Amino acid sequence: MEFQILIKDGLALISRVKQEISFIRSSNYTQASLDILHTASFNLESAADLLNYANELALNNNNIAGEKVLIASDAIKKVQSMLARKFDAELDCESQPWFDEVTTSIGICA
């Protein structure tokens, strides 16, 4: 059950980052900005797919579920970093408790 909560919290984090992207999109109309935001949204969708897949794997007691969560975690961090660099978005991935929980639950630094 703890793993499912981790997945749920990760999906909630993705949702919050997507909201930030929507906010940024509303004030940045250059094609380059829109391309970056589209890429960020695509990467977040992929991370969400990975988290959902990890949840399915965990339900079947598959050991690689944690690996999928780590990959999704890395993708989310990269999107947050890109948004912070390109748009001065205030998304501090290091302070997100979810990343700490991934590290604790999976046992590898996320």
Side-chain angles (χ1 to χ4, degrees), residues 58-103:
L59 292 173
N60 295 323
N61 294 321
N62 193 317
N63 292 335
I64 62 168
E67 177 184 323
K68 303 304 178 196
V69 173
L70 289 173
I71 295 168
S73 172
D74 186 53
I76 296 166
K77 278 185 179 182
K78 286 181 180 180
V79 167
Q80 287 182 323
S81 175
M82 178 179 58
L83 293 175
R85 265 191 337 270
K86 298 288 186 184
F87 302 103
D88 293 325
E90 295 187 23
L91 295 166
D92 187 6
C93 62
E94 298 303 320
S95 67
Q96 297 285 347
W98 184 74
F99 294 108
D100 294 335
E101 186 60 32
V102 168
T103 301

Side-chain angles (χ1 to χ4, degrees), residues 3 30 71:
F3 193 80
T30 67
I71 295 168

Side-chain angles (χ1 to χ4, degrees), residues 9-19 44-45 47-48 51 76:
D9 291 347
L11 292 171
L13 174 60
I14 288 172
S15 178
R16 288 191 301 275
V17 175
K18 284 183 179 180
Q19 288 173 349
L44 288 175
E45 284 299 323
L51 289 176
I76 296 166

Side-chain angles (χ1 to χ4, degrees), residues 20-29 34 37-39 41:
E20 183 69 22
I21 288 172
S22 294
F23 175 75
I24 294 169
R25 185 175 282 142
S26 70
S27 61
N28 286 282
Y29 296 106
L34 294 175
L37 295 172
H38 177 74
T39 300
S41 294

